[in-house]
Every structure is written in structure tokens, then in C-alpha cells.
Amino acid sequence: MACGSGTPPTPRGAENVAVNRYLWAASLDVLSFLPVQSADPFTGVITTGFGTPPGSGRAYRATVQVTDPAMDARSLNLSLLTRNGPVAVETQRAVEDAILARARQLRIADGAL
């Protein structure tokens, strides 16, 4: 039991995981060129450091939040930055689309459709 609380602590892993596993895995896969600083599947937040994609000279960093168990574009929040600030809307949209496409591939490969 926790000191003075009267209730036993919740073991790690017993919390309710409320994120879509395909969006989570696809985010890690698509952004694999970025060093992961933290990844918490319980809150759905992935934070990366700066990294350079293959064939590019520009460094990026990302924060991803998967907010819902539904496999839906609204369940994915992406913040993508360069060392000079936010990326162009087109770049952000292209990365979001890549994550969503990879999530669909993973879901189909899993036989979930």
C-alpha cells in the first residue's frame, strides 16, 4: 500500500490504454529517423529529438499524440518543427497522410478489416 493512502498502488500496465495501436505503431514507423525521447502508450504521446530524414539536409522534431482508440484522422495530432520553427502546412499534411496510410497497411496486414 502507498504510504498513508489506505489503497494499494495500481501496478504499471493496469491502466486503461485508450490509443489506437495502429496509429501508434505507424507513427513510430514513419518517424523512425527521429530519435525517440519519450513514448507513453498510456497517454498516447510520442516526443522526439531532432533528426534528419534520408535524402534531406533539414532536421525535424515531432510530437505526436494519439487521442482516441478509433482509427481516424481526428485521433492523430502531429506537431512537426524544424530548427527554424513550424514546418509548412503541406509538409505537416504529408507526414500525417503517411502515418494514416501506414496505419491502414498495418491494420490490413493484421487482418482487422
Side-chain angles (χ1 to χ4, degrees):
M1 279 199 245
C3 242
S5 71
T7 59
T10 303
R12 188 78 173 145
E15 298 90 345
N16 185 18
V17 179
V19 300
N20 183 281
R21 67 182 176 136
Y22 301 111
L23 288 173
W24 178 263
S27 297
L28 289 170
D29 193 26
V30 169
L31 300 172
S32 64
F33 65 92
L34 299 175
V36 175
Q37 290 182 332
S38 67
D40 186 350
F42 299 101
T43 62
V45 177
I46 301 167
T47 306
T48 72
F50 280 101
T52 306
S56 174
R58 180 172 283 177
Y60 297 92
R61 77 181 293 173
T63 301
V64 178
Q65 184 178 24
V66 181
T67 60
D68 196 89
M71 192 164 130
D72 187 275
R74 292 171 290 185
S75 299
L76 177 67
N77 293 317
L78 173 69
S79 174
L80 195 60
L81 301 170
T82 66
R83 294 190 190 276
N84 297 324
V87 299
V89 173
E90 298 82 17
T91 303
Q92 175 122 353
R93 177 82 33 89
V95 174
E96 288 171 349
D97 289 346
I99 291 170
L100 292 167
R102 182 66 182 135
R104 281 189 294 275
Q105 291 171 347
L106 292 171
R107 186 173 171 190
I108 290 167
D110 199 24
L113 281 181

